[in-house]
Amino acid sequence: MPEELGENIEIVSTETPAEHSDFTDTMIECVECRVEFVWTAGEQAFFADKNLGNPPKRCRECKKAKTNRMEAIISAKAAGKKFIVAMPVRCEDCGKQTTVPFYPSQGRPVFCRPCFDAKNSLAAGASNNS
Ligand SMILES: [Zn+2]
Ligand SMILES: [Zn+2]
C-alpha cells in the first residue's frame, strides 16, 4: 500500500480568527482636523458585520467633539432654548481666528466677517459694473 494514513496529516491551526483576515489597518484622513488616523481591521470587521457602508470620516477626538455638539443641540432643543453656536474657525482669506454661528461644511472655505463682507461687496460691485 503506497498510502500512509495518519502520520503525515497536518493539523492546521485555527487560532487566528478567519473572519478578520480580509481586513487590514487603513489610514484615513480626518475630514475635520486633517490628521490621519487608523481604521483598524477589527473596526472594519465590525462595520462589515453591522452593514455600515461608509468608513468613518472623523478621528476619535473629532467624533467625540461632534457627538458633544449634537448632544448640546439636542438638550438645548429639549429645554426649549435656542442653541447658540460659536464654532472656532480660521478665516480662509486672512487666516484670522474667528467664530461662526454655524457648523461649517467640510471642504467649504470659511471667512471672518470683514472678509466675508468684502467678498460680497466685491461680487456685487463686479456684477453692477459689467
Ligand atoms: Zn480629527
Ligand atoms: Zn478674514
Side-chain angles (χ1 to χ4, degrees), residues 6-82:
E7 295 205 293
N8 289 333
I9 292 173
E10 241 182 84
I11 310 263
V12 179
S13 167
T14 51
E15 270 173 41
T16 31
E19 69 259 33
H20 287 178
S21 61
D22 287 347
F23 302 101
T24 47
D25 289 3
T26 306
M27 296 304 290
I28 297 180
E29 189 187 86
C30 173
V31 294
E32 291 204 28
C33 64
R34 304 282 166 188
V35 171
E36 286 201 326
F37 64 98
V38 183
W39 189 29
T40 65
E43 283 165 340
Q44 290 172 50
F46 176 81
F47 266 62
D49 187 50
K50 298 272 182 254
N51 271 326
L52 302 169
N54 300 319
K57 290 208 265 306
R58 287 170 183 80
C59 70
R60 219 165 281 244
E61 289 303 308
C62 291
K63 202 164 129 187
K64 208 162 74 185
K66 193 194 175 213
T67 308
N68 288 346
R69 292 202 300 259
M70 297 311 290
E71 278 172 3
I73 292 171
I74 289 164
S75 63
K77 267 187 187 162
K81 279 186 287 185
K82 194 175 189 296

Coordinates of all heavy atoms in Angstrom, one line a residue, residues 6-82:
G6 N -2.6 8.9 8.6 CA -2.4 9.2 10.0 C -1.1 10.0 10.2 O -1.2 11.1 10.7
E7 N 0.1 9.5 9.9 CA 1.3 10.1 10.4 C 1.6 11.4 9.7 O 2.2 12.3 10.4 CB 2.4 9.1 10.1 CG 2.3 7.8 11.0 CD 3.6 7.2 11.2 OE1 4.2 6.7 10.2 OE2 4.1 7.2 12.4
N8 N 1.3 11.6 8.4 CA 1.7 12.8 7.8 C 0.6 13.9 7.7 O 0.7 14.9 7.0 CB 2.2 12.6 6.4 CG 3.6 11.9 6.4 OD1 4.3 12.1 7.4 ND2 3.9 11.1 5.4
I9 N -0.5 13.6 8.4 CA -1.6 14.6 8.3 C -1.3 15.8 9.2 O -1.0 15.7 10.4 CB -3.0 14.0 8.8 CG1 -3.4 12.9 7.7 CG2 -4.0 15.0 9.0 CD1 -4.6 12.1 8.1
E10 N -1.3 17.0 8.6 CA -1.0 18.2 9.3 C -2.3 18.8 9.9 O -3.3 18.9 9.2 CB -0.4 19.2 8.4 CG 1.0 19.6 8.7 CD 1.5 20.7 7.8 OE1 1.2 21.9 8.0 OE2 2.2 20.3 6.8
I11 N -2.2 19.1 11.1 CA -3.4 19.8 11.7 C -3.2 21.3 11.6 O -2.2 21.9 12.0 CB -3.5 19.5 13.3 CG1 -3.4 18.0 13.5 CG2 -4.7 20.1 13.8 CD1 -4.7 17.3 13.6
V12 N -4.1 21.9 10.8 CA -4.0 23.4 10.6 C -4.5 24.1 11.8 O -5.6 23.9 12.3 CB -4.8 23.8 9.3 CG1 -4.7 25.3 9.1 CG2 -4.3 23.0 8.1
S13 N -3.7 25.0 12.3 CA -4.1 25.8 13.4 C -5.2 26.7 13.1 O -5.2 27.4 12.1 CB -2.9 26.6 14.0 OG -3.3 27.5 14.9
T14 N -6.2 26.8 14.0 CA -7.3 27.7 13.7 C -7.3 28.8 14.8 O -8.4 29.4 15.1 CB -8.6 27.0 13.7 OG1 -8.7 26.2 14.9 CG2 -8.8 26.1 12.5
E15 N -6.2 29.2 15.3 CA -6.1 30.1 16.4 C -6.4 31.6 15.9 O -7.1 32.3 16.6 CB -4.7 30.1 17.0 CG -4.7 29.1 18.2 CD -3.3 29.0 18.7 OE1 -2.6 30.0 18.8 OE2 -2.9 27.8 19.0
T16 N -6.0 31.9 14.7 CA -6.3 33.3 14.2 C -7.7 33.2 13.6 O -8.0 32.4 12.7 CB -5.3 33.7 13.1 OG1 -4.8 32.6 12.4 CG2 -4.2 34.5 13.7
P17 N -8.6 34.1 14.1 CA -10.0 34.1 13.6 C -10.0 34.4 12.1 O -9.5 35.5 11.6 CB -10.7 35.2 14.4 CG -9.6 36.0 15.1 CD -8.4 35.1 15.1
A18 N -10.6 33.6 11.3 CA -10.6 33.7 9.9 C -11.4 34.9 9.4 O -11.1 35.5 8.4 CB -11.1 32.4 9.2
E19 N -12.4 35.3 10.1 CA -13.3 36.3 9.6 C -12.7 37.7 9.6 O -13.2 38.6 8.9 CB -14.6 36.4 10.4 CG -14.5 36.9 11.8 CD -14.5 35.7 12.8 OE1 -14.0 34.6 12.5 OE2 -15.0 35.9 13.9
H20 N -11.6 37.9 10.2 CA -10.9 39.2 10.2 C -9.8 39.2 9.2 O -9.1 40.3 9.0 CB -10.3 39.5 11.6 CG -11.4 39.8 12.6 ND1 -11.1 40.1 13.9 CD2 -12.7 40.0 12.5 CE1 -12.2 40.4 14.6 NE2 -13.2 40.3 13.7
S21 N -9.6 38.1 8.5 CA -8.4 38.1 7.6 C -8.5 39.0 6.4 O -7.5 39.3 5.8 CB -8.2 36.6 7.1 OG -9.3 36.2 6.4
D22 N -9.7 39.4 6.0 CA -9.9 40.2 4.8 C -9.5 41.7 5.1 O -9.4 42.5 4.2 CB -11.3 40.2 4.3 CG -11.6 38.8 3.6 OD1 -10.7 38.1 3.4 OD2 -12.8 38.5 3.4
F23 N -9.4 42.0 6.3 CA -9.2 43.4 6.7 C -7.8 43.7 7.1 O -7.2 42.9 7.8 CB -10.2 43.8 7.8 CG -11.7 43.6 7.4 CD1 -12.3 42.5 7.9 CD2 -12.3 44.5 6.6 CE1 -13.6 42.2 7.5 CE2 -13.6 44.2 6.2 CZ -14.3 43.1 6.7
T24 N -7.3 44.9 6.7 CA -6.0 45.3 7.2 C -6.2 46.8 7.7 O -7.1 47.5 7.2 CB -5.0 45.3 6.1 OG1 -5.5 46.0 4.9 CG2 -4.5 43.9 5.8
D25 N -5.4 47.2 8.6 CA -5.5 48.5 9.2 C -5.3 49.5 8.0 O -4.5 49.4 7.2 CB -4.4 48.8 10.2 CG -4.7 48.0 11.5 OD1 -5.7 47.2 11.5 OD2 -3.9 48.1 12.4
T26 N -6.2 50.5 8.0 CA -6.2 51.5 7.0 C -6.0 52.9 7.6 O -6.6 53.2 8.6 CB -7.5 51.5 6.2 OG1 -7.8 50.1 5.8 CG2 -7.5 52.4 5.0
M27 N -5.3 53.7 6.9 CA -5.1 55.1 7.3 C -6.2 56.0 6.7 O -6.4 55.9 5.5 CB -3.8 55.7 7.0 CG -2.6 55.0 7.6 SD -2.7 54.9 9.4 CE -2.4 56.7 9.8
I28 N -6.9 56.8 7.5 CA -8.0 57.6 7.0 C -7.6 59.1 7.4 O -7.2 59.3 8.6 CB -9.4 57.2 7.5 CG1 -9.7 55.8 6.9 CG2 -10.4 58.2 7.0 CD1 -11.1 55.3 7.4
E29 N -7.8 60.0 6.5 CA -7.6 61.4 6.9 C -8.9 62.0 7.5 O -9.9 62.0 6.8 CB -7.1 62.2 5.7 CG -6.7 63.6 6.1 CD -6.4 64.5 4.8 OE1 -7.3 65.1 4.3 OE2 -5.2 64.5 4.4
C30 N -8.8 62.5 8.7 CA -9.9 63.1 9.3 C -10.4 64.3 8.6 O -9.6 65.2 8.2 CB -9.6 63.5 10.8 SG -10.9 64.4 11.6
V31 N -11.7 64.4 8.3 CA -12.2 65.5 7.5 C -12.2 66.8 8.2 O -12.3 67.9 7.6 CB -13.7 65.2 7.0 CG1 -13.7 64.1 6.0 CG2 -14.6 65.0 8.2
E32 N -12.1 66.7 9.6 CA -12.1 67.9 10.3 C -10.7 68.5 10.7 O -10.4 69.6 10.4 CB -12.9 67.8 11.6 CG -14.4 67.6 11.3 CD -15.3 68.0 12.5 OE1 -14.9 68.8 13.3 OE2 -16.4 67.4 12.5
C33 N -9.9 67.7 11.2 CA -8.6 68.2 11.6 C -7.5 67.7 10.7 O -6.3 68.1 10.8 CB -8.2 67.7 13.0 SG -8.1 65.9 13.2
R34 N -7.8 67.0 9.6 CA -6.8 66.6 8.6 C -5.7 65.7 9.1 O -4.7 65.6 8.5 CB -6.3 67.8 7.9 CG -7.3 68.7 7.3 CD -7.9 68.2 6.0 NE -9.1 68.9 5.6 CZ -9.8 68.5 4.6 NH1 -9.5 67.5 3.9 NH2 -10.9 69.2 4.3
V35 N -5.9 65.1 10.3 CA -4.9 64.3 10.8 C -5.3 62.8 10.5 O -6.4 62.5 10.5 CB -4.8 64.4 12.3 CG1 -3.9 63.4 13.0 CG2 -4.3 65.8 12.7
E36 N -4.3 62.1 10.0 CA -4.6 60.7 9.7 C -4.7 59.8 11.0 O -4.0 60.0 11.9 CB -3.4 60.1 8.9 CG -3.4 60.6 7.4 CD -2.7 59.7 6.5 OE1 -1.7 59.1 6.9 OE2 -3.1 59.6 5.3
F37 N -5.7 59.0 10.9 CA -5.9 58.0 12.0 C -6.1 56.6 11.4 O -6.4 56.5 10.3 CB -7.2 58.5 12.8 CG -8.5 58.4 12.1 CD1 -9.3 57.3 12.2 CD2 -8.9 59.5 11.3 CE1 -10.5 57.3 11.5 CE2 -10.1 59.4 10.6 CZ -10.9 58.3 10.7
V38 N -5.9 55.7 12.3 CA -6.0 54.3 11.9 C -7.4 53.7 12.0 O -8.0 53.8 13.1 CB -5.1 53.4 12.7 CG1 -5.1 52.0 12.2 CG2 -3.6 53.9 12.7
W39 N -7.9 53.2 10.9 CA -9.2 52.5 11.0 C -8.8 51.0 11.0 O -8.3 50.4 10.1 CB -10.0 52.8 9.7 CG -11.4 52.2 9.8 CD1 -12.1 52.0 10.9 CD2 -12.2 51.8 8.7 NE1 -13.4 51.5 10.6 CE2 -13.4 51.4 9.2 CE3 -12.0 51.8 7.3 CZ2 -14.5 50.9 8.4 CZ3 -13.0 51.3 6.5 CH2 -14.2 50.9 7.0
T40 N -8.9 50.4 12.2 CA -8.3 49.1 12.4 C -9.1 48.0 11.7 O -10.3 48.2 11.4 CB -8.2 48.8 13.9 OG1 -9.5 48.7 14.4 CG2 -7.5 49.9 14.7
A41 N -8.4 46.9 11.5 CA -9.1 45.8 10.9 C -10.3 45.3 11.7 O -11.3 45.0 11.1 CB -8.0 44.6 10.7
G42 N -10.1 45.4 13.0 CA -11.2 45.0 13.9 C -12.5 45.9 13.7 O -13.6 45.4 13.6
E43 N -12.2 47.2 13.6 CA -13.3 48.1 13.4 C -14.0 47.9 12.0 O -15.2 48.0 11.8 CB -12.8 49.6 13.5 CG -12.6 50.0 15.0 CD -11.8 51.2 15.1 OE1 -11.1 51.6 14.2 OE2 -11.9 51.9 16.2
Q44 N -13.1 47.6 11.0 CA -13.6 47.3 9.7 C -14.5 46.1 9.7 O -15.6 46.1 9.0 CB -12.5 47.1 8.7 CG -11.7 48.4 8.4 CD -10.5 48.2 7.6 OE1 -10.5 47.5 6.6 NE2 -9.3 48.7 8.0
A45 N -14.1 45.1 10.4 CA -14.9 43.9 10.5 C -16.2 44.2 11.2 O -17.3 43.7 10.8 CB -14.1 42.8 11.3
F46 N -16.2 45.1 12.2 CA -17.4 45.5 12.9 C -18.3 46.2 12.0 O -19.5 45.9 11.9 CB -17.0 46.4 14.1 CG -18.1 46.9 14.9 CD1 -18.8 46.2 15.8 CD2 -18.6 48.2 14.6 CE1 -19.9 46.7 16.5 CE2 -19.7 48.7 15.3 CZ -20.3 47.9 16.3
F47 N -17.8 47.1 11.2 CA -18.6 47.8 10.2 C -19.2 46.9 9.2 O -20.4 47.0 8.9 CB -17.7 48.9 9.5 CG -17.7 50.2 10.1 CD1 -17.3 50.4 11.4 CD2 -18.2 51.3 9.4 CE1 -17.3 51.7 12.0 CE2 -18.3 52.6 9.9 CZ -17.8 52.8 11.2
A48 N -18.4 46.0 8.7 CA -18.9 45.0 7.7 C -20.0 44.1 8.3 O -21.0 43.8 7.7 CB -17.8 44.1 7.2
D49 N -19.8 43.7 9.6 CA -20.7 42.9 10.3 C -22.1 43.6 10.5 O -23.1 43.0 10.4 CB -20.1 42.5 11.6 CG -21.0 41.5 12.4 OD1 -21.3 40.5 11.7 OD2 -21.3 41.7 13.6
K50 N -22.0 44.9 10.8 CA -23.2 45.7 11.0 C -23.8 46.3 9.7 O -24.7 47.1 9.8 CB -22.9 46.8 12.0 CG -22.5 46.3 13.4 CD -23.7 46.1 14.3 CE -23.2 45.6 15.7 NZ -23.4 44.2 16.0
N51 N -23.2 46.0 8.6 CA -23.6 46.5 7.3 C -23.5 48.0 7.3 O -24.4 48.7 6.6 CB -25.0 46.0 7.0 CG -24.9 44.7 6.2 OD1 -24.0 44.5 5.4 ND2 -25.9 43.9 6.4
L52 N -22.6 48.6 8.0 CA -22.4 50.0 7.9 C -21.5 50.3 6.7 O -20.4 49.9 6.6 CB -21.7 50.5 9.2 CG -22.4 50.2 10.5 CD1 -21.5 50.5 11.7 CD2 -23.7 51.0 10.6
G53 N -22.1 51.0 5.7 CA -21.4 51.1 4.4 C -20.2 52.0 4.4 O -19.2 51.7 3.8
N54 N -20.4 53.2 5.1 CA -19.3 54.2 4.9 C -18.3 54.1 6.0 O -18.6 54.0 7.2 CB -19.9 55.6 5.0 CG -20.9 55.7 3.8 OD1 -20.7 55.3 2.7 ND2 -22.1 56.3 4.1
P55 N -17.0 54.2 5.6 CA -15.9 54.2 6.6 C -16.0 55.5 7.5 O -16.6 56.5 7.0 CB -14.7 54.2 5.8 CG -15.1 54.6 4.4 CD -16.5 54.2 4.3
P56 N -15.5 55.5 8.7 CA -15.6 56.7 9.5 C -14.8 57.9 8.8 O -13.8 57.6 8.1 CB -14.9 56.3 10.8 CG -14.1 55.1 10.5 CD -14.8 54.4 9.3
K57 N -15.3 59.1 9.0 CA -14.7 60.3 8.4 C -13.9 61.1 9.4 O -13.1 61.8 9.0 CB -15.8 61.1 7.8 CG -16.5 60.5 6.6 CD -17.1 61.6 5.7 CE -18.5 62.0 5.9 NZ -19.6 61.2 5.9
R58 N -14.2 60.8 10.7 CA -13.5 61.6 11.7 C -12.7 60.8 12.6 O -13.0 59.6 12.9 CB -14.6 62.4 12.5 CG -15.3 63.5 11.8 CD -16.4 64.0 12.6 NE -17.1 65.1 11.8 CZ -18.0 64.8 10.8 NH1 -18.3 63.6 10.5 NH2 -18.5 65.8 10.2
C59 N -11.6 61.4 13.1 CA -10.8 60.7 14.1 C -11.6 60.7 15.4 O -12.7 61.3 15.5 CB -9.5 61.5 14.3 SG -9.6 63.1 15.1
R60 N -11.1 60.0 16.3 CA -11.8 59.8 17.6 C -12.1 61.1 18.3 O -13.2 61.3 18.8 CB -10.9 58.9 18.5 CG -11.6 57.9 19.3 CD -10.6 56.9 19.9 NE -10.2 55.9 18.8 CZ -10.5 54.7 18.9 NH1 -11.1 54.2 20.0 NH2 -10.2 53.8 18.0
E61 N -11.1 62.0 18.3 CA -11.3 63.3 19.0 C -12.4 64.1 18.4 O -13.3 64.6 19.0 CB -10.0 64.1 19.0 CG -8.9 63.5 19.9 CD -9.4 63.4 21.3 OE1 -9.9 64.4 21.9 OE2 -9.3 62.3 21.9
C62 N -12.4 64.2 17.0 CA -13.4 65.0 16.3 C -14.8 64.3 16.4 O -15.8 65.0 16.4 CB -13.0 65.1 14.9 SG -11.5 66.2 14.7
K63 N -14.8 63.0 16.4 CA -16.0 62.3 16.5 C -16.7 62.6 17.9 O -17.9 62.9 18.0 CB -15.8 60.8 16.4 CG -17.0 60.0 16.0 CD -16.6 58.6 15.5 CE -17.4 57.6 16.2 NZ -16.9 56.2 15.9
K64 N -15.8 62.6 18.9 CA -16.3 62.9 20.2 C -16.8 64.3 20.3 O -17.9 64.6 20.9 CB -15.1 62.7 21.2 CG -15.6 62.3 22.6 CD -14.4 61.8 23.4 CE -13.5 62.8 23.9 NZ -12.3 62.3 24.6
A65 N -16.1 65.3 19.7 CA -16.4 66.7 19.7 C -17.8 66.8 19.0 O -18.6 67.6 19.4 CB -15.4 67.5 19.0
K66 N -18.0 66.1 17.9 CA -19.2 66.2 17.1 C -20.4 65.6 17.9 O -21.4 66.2 18.0 CB -19.1 65.4 15.8 CG -20.2 65.7 14.9 CD -20.3 64.8 13.7 CE -21.5 65.1 12.9 NZ -22.1 63.9 12.3
T67 N -20.1 64.5 18.6 CA -21.2 64.0 19.5 C -21.6 64.9 20.6 O -22.7 65.1 20.8 CB -20.7 62.6 20.1 OG1 -20.2 61.8 19.1 CG2 -21.8 61.9 20.8
N68 N -20.6 65.6 21.1 CA -20.8 66.6 22.2 C -21.7 67.7 21.6 O -22.6 68.2 22.3 CB -19.5 67.2 22.7 CG -18.8 66.1 23.6 OD1 -19.4 65.1 24.0 ND2 -17.6 66.4 23.9
R69 N -21.3 68.2 20.4 CA -22.1 69.3 19.8 C -23.6 68.9 19.6 O -24.5 69.6 19.9 CB -21.5 69.6 18.4 CG -20.1 70.3 18.5 CD -19.9 71.1 17.2 NE -19.9 70.3 16.0 CZ -18.8 69.9 15.4 NH1 -17.6 70.1 15.9 NH2 -18.9 69.2 14.3
M70 N -23.7 67.6 19.0 CA -25.1 67.1 18.8 C -25.9 67.0 20.1 O -27.0 67.4 20.1 CB -25.0 65.8 18.1 CG -24.3 65.7 16.7 SD -24.9 67.0 15.6 CE -26.6 66.4 15.3
E71 N -25.2 66.6 21.1 CA -25.9 66.4 22.4 C -26.3 67.8 23.0 O -27.4 67.9 23.5 CB -25.0 65.6 23.4 CG -25.1 64.1 23.2 CD -24.1 63.4 24.0 OE1 -23.3 64.0 24.8 OE2 -24.0 62.1 23.8
A72 N -25.4 68.8 22.8 CA -25.7 70.1 23.3 C -26.9 70.7 22.6 O -27.8 71.3 23.2 CB -24.5 71.0 23.1
I73 N -27.0 70.4 21.3 CA -28.1 70.9 20.5 C -29.4 70.3 20.9 O -30.4 70.9 21.1 CB -27.8 70.7 19.0 CG1 -26.7 71.6 18.5 CG2 -29.1 71.0 18.1 CD1 -26.2 71.3 17.1
I74 N -29.3 68.9 21.0 CA -30.5 68.2 21.4 C -31.0 68.6 22.8 O -32.2 68.8 22.9 CB -30.2 66.7 21.3 CG1 -30.0 66.2 19.9 CG2 -31.3 65.8 22.0 CD1 -29.3 64.9 19.7
S75 N -30.1 68.7 23.7 CA -30.6 69.1 25.1 C -31.1 70.5 25.1 O -32.0 70.8 25.9 CB -29.5 68.9 26.1 OG -28.4 69.7 25.8
A76 N -30.5 71.4 24.3 CA -31.0 72.8 24.2 C -32.4 72.8 23.6 O -33.3 73.5 24.1 CB -30.0 73.6 23.4
K77 N -32.6 72.0 22.6 CA -33.9 71.9 22.0 C -35.0 71.3 22.9 O -36.1 71.8 23.0 CB -33.8 71.0 20.7 CG -33.6 71.8 19.5 CD -33.7 70.9 18.2 CE -33.2 71.6 17.0 NZ -32.9 70.7 15.9
A78 N -34.5 70.3 23.7 CA -35.4 69.7 24.6 C -35.8 70.7 25.7 O -36.9 70.7 26.2 CB -34.7 68.5 25.3
A79 N -34.9 71.6 26.1 CA -35.2 72.6 27.1 C -35.9 73.8 26.5 O -36.2 74.7 27.2 CB -33.9 73.0 27.8
G80 N -36.2 73.8 25.2 CA -36.9 74.9 24.5 C -36.0 76.1 24.3 O -36.5 77.2 24.1
K81 N -34.7 75.9 24.4 CA -33.8 77.0 24.2 C -33.2 77.0 22.8 O -33.1 75.9 22.2 CB -32.7 77.0 25.2 CG -33.0 77.5 26.6 CD -31.8 77.5 27.5 CE -31.4 76.2 28.0 NZ -30.3 76.1 28.9
K82 N -32.9 78.2 22.3 CA -32.2 78.2 21.0 C -30.8 78.0 21.3 O -30.2 78.7 22.1 CB -32.5 79.6 20.4 CG -32.1 79.6 18.9 CD -32.4 80.9 18.3 CE -32.3 80.8 16.8 NZ -30.9 80.6 16.3

